Amino acid sequence: MNFSNKSGLLAAMLFFTGSALCAEPASSPQGFEEVIVTAQFRNISVLNTGSSITVIDGDTLEQRGATHLEQVLNLAPNVNFSSGASRGKFIQIRGIGERSQFIEPLNPSVGLLIDGIDFSGIGGAATTLDMRQIEILRGPQGTLYGANALAGLIDMKSNDPTDTFEGRVETSIAEYETRTTSAVLSGPISDTLGYRLAVQGHRSDGYIDNDFLNRHDTSNLDELTARGKLQWRASDDLQVNFTGFYVDADNGYDDFSLDNTRHTLSDQPGHDRQESTAFALETIWQGFERFDVVGLVSYAESNLEYSYDEDWSYVGICSGQPCDGWEYASFDRYRRDRENGTVDLRLVSSEAGRLFNGSTDWVLGVYYRFQDESLLREYTYASGDFTSDYDTRNRAIYGQLDSWLTDRLKLTSGLRLEFRNADYDDSDLVNNDNSERLWGGRLGLEYNLTSQTLLYALVSRGYKAGGVNSNPSLDASARDFDTEYLWNYETGIKGDWFDHRLAMQLSVFFQDRRKMQVKQSLVEPISGASCPCSFTDFFDNAARGENYGAELEVNWQASELVRLYGSLGLLRATFKNFESFSHVDADPANAVAVDLSGHEQAHAPSYQFAVGMDVALTRRLTAGLEVEGKEAFYLSPRHNAKSNRYELVNARLDYDVEQWSLSLWGRNLADRDVIVRGFGSFGNDPRKFYATEPYYQYGEPRIVGATATYRF
């Protein structure tokens, strides 16, 4: 692999290595607790799973002052995200994933579950209130989850009810008028019934100054999250778990500046809103000798609005200047209503039900998912409102065998057959009815070299359903696109050594993408307008793509006082046999083809890392320091604009006294500009007569805050 500009990477690794060498070992340092993965068919230690998984626990979320998933994704190797909204809600794993959504219907590449509820494609709901842990499964989950987990799966698990009464009240203040307040209550209602209630409000003015409106809150955050859980031990054999979830994000969106700064000139700032109500009901029946019956029913209803000032300026910006008469004014709004539900019923073998002389555990399940999504688009230059409906139905049967071939060698074989129907129609008389038969699975070997060391090799196959391009101006041959398939080849080693003081995961992977789906845009002039262009987004299939690299995670309790940790992701992601259509003149048929074979895929940094240390300064006082960074990466396959390479420094100071915890924390202390979304194939500044240039959205600047927590 050719990984360029390695100075930031080398600096981070030197920091990690130097810290490790300078740490003073103690006579009997405390080891790490076992980390259990729950997103698999069975709960299992992360170090005993033959695949690449990152688990981010609740303590890490608290130490970062995180209120949303986007603020911890950089801790996981080869996981990236795209914003273009108030939050980084479009996720890429190993270079695979969506970067935005406008008019087109979307089939996500990365699955997102929150307490078993499907929020794939709408990551604005991924707030971190009262989270126990976040599990990030890299690579296709063709057996476990199916069509929406081509690249991987993110499973967010909140805390369960407790056997004794407890609670927590927490408040945070930070720069940019940031305020967060949360409360949690948990305990028993009776001997068989427990509850947990959690609520959080988060507000911030955001990091943008609108100079035209003289406002500092046009990209504000205003998020309310509430969650309730019940656990009922109905009998010795039956466990019933209920989760209710509500999130209301009323966020502003005004992030792009004609001058590529945090100062905007919009006269019509947009919004990024999401209101979701959801529930999940899980039952675990252990009334049979040979197997348990696990059932999950979930439902979510979401109302979303995404809108923005398309010209990023105000009426009159060119008055009295040479560009007078060139300016345009436009506003674009997308309102989506989405309903989705799942039913998952599986039989999970018990010890008495193992096959083949007790050597093989098994799982057999059936799955149903529906999703209905309606869109209303209101756009200045459209002759009328655009509406569409996109309804999908997924039915699947799946199974997995875990066979111990010897005392140390285990063979895992899984298969999923999925039947998918998709029905699309819109107000432009585009309609498409598509049915597919899909399959995915995995074949893996796990070898226990010692009781603390696992070697594994894995071949897995995932899939992402085909779909429809909605714009009627496209040629009929470009109106739909094919299913993408992904073959993943992976090997790795995991270990837990020195009395659980050193934990390590290392994986190497190669992914062969077949008929890979690539989002593109045709750039067209708007008839009768000064603005030079509008955009027709569509998906196309490249013949192939290759994504390969390595992932490393290390956690070392160097002494009773010092903990060191780090992660490193290396990635090379390129197109094979692909021609991209970069722009048109007045007619979409006149697209200009550019051969992108060998070109890097978008949002696939060649390296990213995170390293840090925690030091217990006294019995009550703890300090932490962290460095994270990424190499620059292409922002889209249709232009050459790139993000910037960056290294961020985060720090915190925690003080615990009796039931109180006080924290001072800071993120991005060097105040680096971090590009989280960008464009590069058009011009939008009338003062420059719409000359083509790159435009960027920046992520969180330096922010310093304090948090106080009272537990009872």
Side-chain angles (χ1 to χ4, degrees):
M1 287 180 284
N2 180 22
F3 300 105
S4 59
N5 296 327
K6 296 185 178 66
S7 59
L9 171 63
L10 292 174
M13 298 309 291
L14 286 172
F15 169 84
F16 179 80
T17 306
S19 300
L21 291 175
C22 293
E24 287 188 16
S27 57
S28 58
Q30 182 181 359
F32 299 113
E33 294 183 1
E34 185 178 36
V35 178
I36 301 298
V37 177
T38 63
Q40 304 281 1
F41 293 128
R42 288 181 171 83
N43 293 351
I44 188 171
S45 168
V46 67
L47 296 177
N48 289 326
T49 56
S51 59
S52 184
I53 300 175
T54 295
V55 178
I56 301 171
D57 62 19
D59 290 340
T60 302
L61 297 174
E62 289 186 14
Q63 291 164 358
R64 279 212 157 199
T67 58
H68 192 272
L69 175 65
E70 68 170 359
Q71 293 166 313
V72 295
L73 284 177
N74 285 346
L75 293 174
N78 286 331
V79 178
N80 199 7
F81 66 88
S82 168
S83 189
S86 63
R87 291 291 198 180
K89 56 187 181 181
F90 299 99
I91 302 166
Q92 304 87 41
I93 295 179
R94 294 176 173 174
I96 304 172
E98 284 61 53
R99 304 184 307 278
S100 63
Q101 182 180 18
F102 295 96
I103 196 174
E104 72 283 357
L106 187 66
N107 300 323
S109 298
V110 177
L112 173 63
L113 299 179
I114 304 176
D115 283 327
I117 305 166
D118 191 347
F119 283 96
S120 302
I122 49 174
T127 58
T128 58
L129 167 66
D130 198 34
M131 280 291 150
R132 182 172 82 243
Q133 63 188 40
I134 299 171
E135 302 170 12
I136 301 175
L137 286 67
R138 287 179 288 270
Q141 305 300 313
T143 306
L144 180 68
Y145 189 60
N148 288 342
L150 176 80
L153 175 68
I154 297 178
D155 191 17
M156 303 178 67
K157 298 284 190 182
S158 65
N159 287 301
D160 290 327
T162 52
D163 295 331
T164 58
F165 176 75
E166 64 177 45
R168 183 181 80 241
V169 178
E170 184 173 282
T171 184
S172 296
I173 59 172
E175 297 175 275
Y176 304 98
E177 298 298 319
T178 301
R179 302 288 187 272
T180 306
T181 303
S182 63
V184 178
L185 288 176
S186 179
I189 297 175
S190 69
D191 291 341
T192 60
L193 183 63
Y195 74 94
R196 191 175 187 95
L197 300 173
V199 63
Q200 176 177 278
H202 175 71
R203 293 188 176 185
S204 173
D205 282 352
Y207 318 118
I208 294 296
D209 292 323
N210 188 306
D211 293 344
F212 176 73
L213 297 176
N214 194 27
R215 288 173 54 188
H216 308 289
D217 62 349
T218 52
S219 272
N220 70 303
L221 299 175
D222 186 357
E223 299 168 339
L224 172 66
T225 305
R227 180 181 290 106
K229 302 184 81 170
L230 292 172
Q231 279 191 347
W232 179 33
R233 190 69 183 180
S235 69
D236 291 340
D237 298 324
L238 179 61
Q239 172 86 29
V240 180
N241 304 319
F242 174 82
T243 299
F245 178 63
Y246 176 78
V247 63
D248 184 8
D250 185 8
N251 299 341
Y253 179 53
D254 180 32
D255 284 59
F256 278 94
S257 163
L258 294 176
D259 301 310
N260 277 325
T261 67
R262 297 184 190 274
H263 293 263
T264 64
L265 299 171
S266 308
D267 56 0
Q268 294 180 284
H271 294 93
D272 181 24
R273 292 168 169 152
Q274 177 173 345
E275 183 179 17
S276 296
T277 304
F279 75 84
L281 180 67
E282 181 187 38
T283 60
I284 304 171
W285 173 258
Q286 297 174 312
F288 298 96
E289 180 183 0
R290 295 185 174 276
F291 58 84
D292 300 334
V293 181
V294 180
L296 177 67
V297 177
S298 71
Y299 173 82
E301 182 179 51
S302 299
N303 300 311
L304 305 106
E305 177 188 340
Y306 177 66
S307 58
Y308 54 92
D309 188 335
E310 189 179 42
D311 54 284
W312 305 339
S313 63
Y314 58 91
V315 175
I317 189 174
C318 280
S319 295
Q321 299 186 40
C323 62
D324 200 350
W326 280 73
E327 67 187 72
Y328 78 107
S330 176
F331 192 78
D332 207 358
R333 177 185 286 116
Y334 302 82
R335 301 180 189 266
R336 280 185 166 86
D337 294 327
R338 170 170 153 173
E339 278 186 278
N340 70 279
T342 61
V343 178
D344 194 350
L345 181 66
R346 67 184 62 153
L347 308 181
V348 182
S349 66
S350 62
E351 185 174 352
R354 289 176 175 171
L355 303 176
F356 311 123
N357 295 322
S359 66
T360 302
D361 292 310
W362 55 269
V363 174
L364 180 64
V366 292
Y367 174 85
Y368 173 76
R369 178 182 187 268
F370 79 88
Q371 180 168 300
D372 299 333
E373 183 172 287
S374 62
L375 167 68
L376 168 64
R377 184 196 187 192
E378 301 164 303
Y379 179 47
T380 299
Y381 284 104
S383 57
D385 292 344
F386 173 86
T387 61
S388 69
D389 291 287
Y390 186 52
D391 302 333
T392 59
R393 302 291 184 269
N394 296 59
R395 301 168 181 85
I397 182 171
Y398 59 86
Q400 182 167 300
L401 299 176
D402 295 307
S403 305
W404 285 98
L405 305 180
T406 71
D407 291 341
R408 294 188 175 188
L409 183 63
K410 183 172 74 171
L411 171 67
T412 297
S413 52
L415 179 66
R416 186 184 188 98
L417 302 177
E418 188 158 345
F419 305 90
R420 185 177 187 273
N421 298 96
D423 186 12
Y424 174 86
D425 61 83
D426 63 34
S427 55
D428 286 338
L429 304 182
V430 174
N431 56 76
N432 182 277
D433 188 1
N434 183 44
S435 297
E436 295 185 85
R437 293 180 178 88
L438 308 163
W439 72 271
R442 59 184 290 147
L443 191 65
L445 281 174
E446 301 173 16
Y447 181 71
N448 291 307
L449 187 63
T450 69
S451 59
Q452 293 84 33
T453 306
L454 175 73
L455 303 175
Y456 74 89
L458 171 68
V459 178
S460 56
R461 185 183 196 262
Y463 50 86
K464 181 182 177 184
V468 58
N469 291 311
S470 58
N471 197 297
S473 66
L474 292 169
D475 185 78
S477 62
R479 194 65 57 78
D480 53 21
F481 52 92
D482 293 334
T483 299
E484 178 178 350
Y485 295 97
L486 174 66
W487 284 96
N488 176 68
Y489 307 91
E490 183 176 325
T491 186
I493 181 173
K494 299 185 177 187
D496 182 8
W497 305 297
F498 306 113
D499 295 327
H500 308 293
R501 289 183 284 124
L502 176 63
M504 185 271 288
Q505 301 183 67
L506 173 64
S507 62
V508 178
F509 64 90
F510 177 86
Q511 296 184 324
D512 183 8
R513 304 178 67 177
R514 306 287 179 89
K515 298 184 178 180
M516 67 175 291
Q517 296 175 11
V518 185
K519 184 178 181 180
Q520 302 189 77
S521 289
L522 297 177
V523 185
E524 308 169 65
I526 300 176
S527 177
S530 300
C531 174
C533 55
S534 68
F535 305 93
T536 299
D537 290 331
F538 70 101
F539 283 90
D540 194 10
N541 293 98
R544 286 184 59 202
E546 290 183 354
N547 300 49
Y548 58 92
E551 291 146 359
L552 172 67
E553 295 183 71
V554 179
N555 207 347
W556 181 23
Q557 189 72 47
S559 73
E560 290 182 344
L561 304 180
V562 178
R563 180 175 77 97
L564 304 165
Y565 57 92
S567 67
L568 172 65
L570 303 176
L571 178 64
R572 176 71 171 170
T574 58
F575 296 103
K576 301 293 180 183
N577 304 322
F578 177 53
E579 288 189 345
S580 171
F581 295 97
S582 59
H583 67 275
V584 299
D585 45 34
D587 186 352
N590 296 329
V592 177
V594 178
D595 187 2
L596 290 182
S597 299
H599 193 278
E600 294 179 15
Q601 298 171 26
H603 276 257
S606 62
Y607 72 78
Q608 66 181 87
F609 66 88
V611 293
M613 64 186 303
D614 295 328
V615 180
L617 302 176
T618 69
R619 186 169 62 89
R620 299 187 182 278
L621 187 63
T622 303
L625 181 65
E626 206 171 61
V627 181
E628 63 181 76
K630 290 178 186 172
E631 173 62 295
F633 52 84
Y634 286 102
L635 295 165
S636 171
R638 62 184 179 85
H639 56 71
N640 290 321
K642 279 190 169 186
S643 71
N644 56 327
R645 193 198 79 194
Y646 67 81
E647 295 83 31
L648 307 183
V649 179
N650 310 315
R652 67 183 181 278
L653 193 64
D654 301 323
Y655 183 74
D656 294 322
V657 53
E658 296 179 351
Q659 294 168 284
W660 285 94
S661 297
L662 304 174
S663 300
L664 297 176
W665 48 266
R667 297 191 294 263
N668 190 9
L669 292 177
D671 201 21
R672 291 290 308 274
D673 285 335
V674 178
I675 296 171
V676 294
R677 183 73 172 121
F679 306 101
S681 61
F682 63 92
N684 209 33
D685 192 343
R687 300 168 301 181
K688 300 177 182 178
F689 302 99
Y690 299 107
T692 299
E693 59 182 336
Y695 300 104
Y696 305 114
Q697 177 184 345
Y698 297 108
E700 185 180 73
R702 177 176 55 227
I703 182 168
V704 177
T707 301
T709 305
Y710 178 72
R711 293 178 172 84
F712 54 89

